[in-house]
């Protein structure tokens, strides 16, 4: 989970930029932010994006940039919580898988390894 802040934003931004033929990263960030507008579907994804991008991508739900500045280590905790929550909600799971497929896969592998 510690890799999310370092690798995720550039990968998602580049994919989005190429898929939608957008010229610059600022425009990509605005478009991703606009896409994350449905509280039911996107609140968890929006929250994680805000944390990993330092507020450059903010959708329908967020803590505010000051929260992340004060507690940068919370990104992994928030991601863990939202990925756990998504295990019980097919709508949120689908969005998590769409935006964070590798992180979600890693999370699920980690959860399976927890002793029963």
């Amino acid at each position: 989970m510690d890799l999310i802040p370092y690798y995720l934003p550039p990968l998602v931004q580049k994919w989005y930029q190429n898929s939608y033929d957008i010229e610059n990263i600022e425009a990509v960030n605005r478009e991703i932010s606009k896409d994350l507008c449905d509280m039911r579907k996107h609140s968890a994804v929006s929250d994680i994006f805000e944390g990993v991008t330092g507020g450059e991508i903010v959708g329908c739900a967020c803590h505010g940039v000051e929260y992340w500045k004060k507690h940068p280590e919370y990104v992994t905790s928030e991601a863990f919580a939202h990925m756990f929550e998504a295990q019980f909600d097919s709508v949120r799971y689908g969005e998590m898988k769409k935006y964070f497929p590798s992180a979600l896969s890693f999370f699920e592998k980690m959860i399976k390894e927890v002793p029963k």
Side-chain angles (χ1 to χ4, degrees):
M1 298 297 258
D2 289 337
L3 299 179
I4 289 175
Y6 305 107
Y7 296 107
L8 176 69
L11 293 175
V12 171
Q13 289 163 323
K14 194 55 140 175
W15 170 82
Y16 205 93
Q17 187 174 22
N18 292 337
S19 296
Y20 295 97
D21 195 30
I22 300 173
E23 290 186 26
N24 62 60
I25 293 300
E26 292 79 20
V28 168
N29 291 344
R30 283 192 303 274
E31 290 302 313
I32 294 172
S33 294
K34 281 195 262 180
D35 281 351
L36 302 176
C37 62
D38 184 325
M39 185 63 86
R40 169 72 179 101
K41 287 172 57 176
H42 300 123
S43 61
V45 171
S46 174
D47 190 28
I48 295 170
F49 264 120
E50 183 198 32
V52 299
T53 65
E56 292 178 15
I57 297 174
V58 180
C60 61
C62 63
H63 287 279
V65 175
E66 290 304 314
Y67 173 83
W68 301 111
K69 284 182 182 176
K70 188 174 179 181
H71 307 287
E73 71 278 9
Y74 285 9
V75 172
T76 53
S77 300
E78 292 280 346
F80 185 94
H82 288 307
M83 288 181 192
F84 185 79
E85 168 193 45
Q87 301 300 302
F88 308 99
D89 185 322
S90 62
V91 172
R92 291 175 188 261
Y93 184 86
E95 293 303 304
M96 196 66 68
K97 190 168 186 166
K98 174 181 174 180
Y99 288 101
F100 308 115
S102 297
L104 182 61
S105 177
F106 179 79
F107 169 83
E108 291 174 335
K109 181 181 176 207
M110 187 173 57
I111 291 299
K112 287 178 184 173
E113 292 176 4
V114 173
K116 295 181 180 181

